[in-house]
Amino acid sequence: MINSIDFNSIYRSHLYWDRKDTFGLGKIFKDLKAGDILLDPFCGGGTPIVAALQRGARVIASDINPMALFLSRVLISPVALFALKEAFKKVENYTARSILENYSILCPKCGKKIYFNYLKWNNDALKRVPESVYLSCHHCGLNKQVSLSKEEITRQIHLSNIEPKHWFPTDPICGRNRTAAKYFCELFTGRNLTSLSILHNSIEKISSVRCRDILHYVFTGMLFDCSLMQNSLTNPLSSSSGLSGGWLSPGFYIHQASQEKNIWKVFVNRFKGVLRCKIKINSIIDCLRISGSIED
Ligand SMILES: [Zn+2]
């Protein structure tokens, strides 16, 4: 039986559109027996597959979006946890220091160099301006939102506009777009785009396909949190689960008051959440065979 805490770790492991909660689905599927076949023609984020597999059913799943199939396959596949933790460690060794440097700031209380949690921007005017920064200093214990000095505002604007050296997508936005941005990359600050490209580049270097896929699952699940679509009125970094909510509405937008989050901290939080999800998945799906077609 999946309890509500376990349900959270599976359901909130990714922000794919309109995911259904595994706990509720378990009640809907209560009459499903081992050996039954469930057809899920629009599988989306894959939580109904988990609920059906948990009851011993076989599942035929499809979706028009290849991303949905990828996420579903990664979600239900068990993984060796030690290998996954090792893969994370490699990414940490490759990237953590260089990413964190982009979020450095001097603690206003003790003067030591720390890395901020997020910067609050005002996107109201034509020129975006950083308003305040949220800090938690492990040296002196300072843990609050503080305003920025004139010099620090200039420095943060400069850091926020750095350009990626690694690959990043340059696709135009299609579908519902309620911003002046024409490209997806414009939904991110230069700093966050740079940090994400460093992270993506290092994930690509992981040799284990299964671990690499799970890290891509973590990566794609954090993109909303790292974009200017994130509202500064919420603080997903403080979420006890390490996993936050998602899009406020369909389409793309830039919040008037957005947060520029520390990408490394978001990645670590989200990885921890996905790790909890995989621990649960390992415990409820011990034997799995995925076929590419019904004939297999
Ligand atoms: Zn301090």
Side-chain angles (χ1 to χ4, degrees):
M1 185 69 188
I2 298 181
N3 64 33
S4 59
I5 296 168
D6 297 323
F7 132 69
N8 267 335
S9 72
I10 295 171
Y11 167 56
R12 303 187 74 186
S13 64
H14 200 279
L15 299 180
Y16 191 80
W17 307 98
D18 202 21
R19 279 161 73 86
K20 301 289 181 286
D21 78 71
T22 316
F23 187 57
L25 286 165
K27 289 180 181 173
I28 294 170
F29 294 167
K30 67 181 187 324
D31 295 328
L32 213 56
K33 302 181 299 295
D36 284 351
I37 297 177
L38 178 87
L39 173 64
D40 186 354
F42 314 106
C43 65
T47 47
I49 304 176
V50 175
L53 289 175
Q54 194 210 359
R55 306 190 81 82
R58 289 177 291 166
V59 180
I60 300 170
S62 66
D63 201 291
I64 195 168
N65 188 342
M67 183 69 184
L69 293 177
F70 171 79
L71 296 178
S72 296
R73 183 171 56 75
V74 174
L75 175 67
I76 62 176
S77 301
V79 65
L81 296 175
F82 76 92
L84 182 57
K85 288 175 188 169
E86 221 167 72
F88 171 83
K89 204 78 199 150
K90 277 184 187 163
V91 171
E92 185 177 37
N93 291 340
Y94 290 146
T95 66
R97 188 167 294 187
S98 58
I99 290 177
L100 281 170
E101 276 310 310
N102 293 332
Y103 304 89
S104 68
I105 194 165
L106 295 180
C107 171
K109 190 175 171 191
C110 69
K112 293 191 173 151
K113 185 170 90 170
I114 55 172
Y115 307 108
F116 69 73
N117 291 354
Y118 65 83
L119 197 65
K120 188 177 169 185
W121 287 85
N122 185 344
N123 302 315
D124 190 19
L126 286 173
K127 197 175 173 187
R128 294 171 45 246
V129 184
E131 279 190 334
S132 56
V133 65
Y134 189 87
L135 306 170
S136 46
C137 178
H138 60 280
H139 300 292
C140 69
L142 179 81
N143 187 23
K144 65 174 186 178
Q145 194 165 302
V146 297
S147 54
L148 298 165
S149 66
K150 247 185 184 175
E151 295 73 32
E152 196 55 47
I153 287 175
T154 308
R155 181 173 167 271
Q156 291 301 332
I157 289 175
H158 168 73
L159 280 171
S160 185
N161 286 315
I162 57 175
E163 290 183 8
K165 292 188 178 69
H166 296 293
W167 175 87
F168 64 94
T170 53
D171 308 72
I173 295 176
C174 43
R176 273 194 253 179
N177 180 10
R178 294 188 273 112
T179 75
K182 288 192 169 53
Y183 299 89
F184 286 111
C185 57
E186 293 177 304
L187 297 172
F188 302 85
T189 65
R191 167 164 46 196
N192 278 5
L193 198 61
T194 298
S195 304
L196 287 167
S197 70
I198 294 170
L199 200 50
H200 181 264
N201 184 261
S202 71
I203 291 172
E204 287 290 291
K205 290 177 181 165
I206 299 299
S207 54
S208 156
V209 175
R210 188 159 289 192
C211 291
R212 189 169 67 232
D213 282 350
I214 294 173
L215 292 173
H216 277 139
Y217 186 97
V218 175
F219 181 86
T220 54
M222 67 187 269
L223 290 176
F224 171 79
D225 274 354
C226 305
S227 76
L228 293 166
M229 295 198 293
Q230 177 67 55
N231 188 346
S232 71
L233 301 176
T234 58
N235 178 19
L237 276 181
S238 68
S239 162
S240 59
S241 66
L243 306 173
S244 68
W247 270 253
L248 294 178
S249 61
F252 300 95
Y253 50 88
I254 291 179
H255 251 287
Q256 183 181 323
S258 60
Q259 289 182 0
E260 186 184 22
K261 291 199 175 65
N262 180 321
I263 296 296
W264 181 252
K265 292 190 180 189
V266 176
F267 181 66
V268 170
N269 275 344
R270 191 151 277 282
F271 176 78
K272 285 178 184 170
V274 171
L275 191 60
R276 281 195 290 275
C277 167
K278 293 319 285 184
I279 290 169
K280 189 62 203 170
I281 290 290
N282 279 359
S283 73
I284 60 177
I285 303 176
D286 54 354
C287 180
L288 181 75
R289 189 167 71 87
I290 300 177
S291 306
S293 74
I294 297 172
E295 284 79 33
D296 287 348

